[in-house]
Amino acid sequence: MEGLRSAGPANSPTVTDAQFTVLEEELGKGPAAHGFDDERWTLVRVQVEIRRRLRVGLSVATVWRLLKRHGWSWQAPARTALERDEHAVELWKKEVWPWVKGSRRPLGTGSSSRTRSASR
């Protein structure tokens, strides 16, 4: 019975404060310095850098918790894309979206029962 007793949860890999300092320095260089095409740090990209630099395998959720614990937060773009056409967006909302959305119920009378006919 002693051998069947739980030893507790498995330890997940941890990142020390010293390792996080190294990671912050690397992230400060920007994604392009690490071979990424654009200037956005995503959780997956940070995960890749942790694996490359620190030799620690973390899940994306753990990467998020790690960054949040150290004061990092997600960021939204400060401005909209130059290519965005507001008139086209409004036109799409008015004309295309209602058609795409459709209605939840089919129009007309009917029954949800398979045994009763819809004509009753």
Side-chain angles (χ1 to χ4, degrees), residues 10-16 19 50 55-59 62 66 69:
N11 289 336
S12 60
T14 57
V15 175
T16 65
Q19 288 176 317
I50 290 172
R55 306 276 192 247
V56 177
L58 300 176
S59 69
T62 304
L66 174 70
R69 184 172 54 239

Side-chain angles (χ1 to χ4, degrees), residues 61-102:
T62 304
V63 170
W64 168 241
R65 286 191 297 271
L66 174 70
L67 293 174
K68 191 174 178 181
R69 184 172 54 239
H70 286 278
W72 288 62
S73 64
W74 67 275
Q75 302 293 310
R79 57 191 173 104
T80 57
L82 295 174
E83 298 85 6
R84 184 177 171 107
D85 182 358
E86 290 297 332
H87 177 69
V89 170
E90 289 303 317
L91 188 65
W92 186 90
K93 284 181 184 179
K94 288 179 184 174
E95 294 183 6
V96 178
W97 176 242
W99 180 78
V100 171
K101 182 179 176 186

